[in-house]
């Protein structure tokens, strides 16, 4: 015969708690695996928890380091694969744009 489940046992089930706030956390931009930038890892976890998504830090820094760089006819921005730093290249005048 099975023992009855007490109300105390059912009330103590594990519950996921989202971070309440990220005040005081340093502003160190991270790129989430969802392709979005977050001000810091805390905000990434808070967003993931509230939206019930599995989001992890993909990169330290912004997802697109070239986002704020202006590509123009004379310059081109590329992301260095290992360091994730933006690299600006000047195009020779003889190269056609595009």
């Amino acid at each position: 015969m099975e023992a009855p489940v007490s109300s105390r046992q059912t009330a103590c089930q594990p519950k996921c708690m989202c971070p309440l706030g990220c005040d005081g956390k340093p502003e160190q931009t991270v790129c989430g695996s969802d392709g979005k930038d977050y001000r810091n890892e805390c905000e990434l976890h808070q967003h993931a928890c509230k939206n019930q998504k599995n989001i992890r830090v993909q990169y330290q820094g912004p997802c697109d380091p070239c986002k704020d760089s202006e590509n123009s006819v004379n310059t081109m921005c590329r992301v260095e694969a290992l360091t994730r730093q933006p690299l600006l290249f000047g195009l020779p005048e003889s190269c056609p744009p595009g």
Side-chain angles (χ1 to χ4, degrees), residues 5-98:
V5 176
S6 73
S7 62
R8 185 175 183 184
Q9 286 176 320
T10 57
C12 294
Q13 293 184 357
K15 186 177 179 183
C16 181
M17 299 293 287
C18 296
L20 295 175
C22 297
D23 293 340
K25 300 286 185 190
E27 193 168 319
Q28 295 175 322
T29 302
V30 294
C31 173
S33 55
D34 59 350
K36 295 181 181 172
D37 289 344
Y38 296 89
R39 284 186 354 168
N40 53 40
E41 196 167 342
C42 176
E43 286 194 1
L44 179 145
H45 291 303
Q46 192 174 41
H47 177 81
C49 184
K50 283 181 181 176
N51 293 287
Q52 299 288 296
K53 303 272 187 194
N54 183 15
I55 305 171
R56 65 190 183 287
V57 173
Q58 189 78 25
Y59 304 110
Q60 295 295 325
C63 294
D64 182 3
C66 285
K67 179 176 66 176
D68 294 329
S69 299
E70 285 189 35
N71 282 330
S72 70
V73 175
N74 299 324
T75 61
M76 178 176 57
C77 183
R78 293 288 181 253
V79 179
E80 205 284 319
L82 296 175
T83 65
R84 303 270 315 143
Q85 295 298 309
L87 300 173
L88 292 174
F89 294 96
L91 299 176
E93 290 181 28
S94 61
C95 289

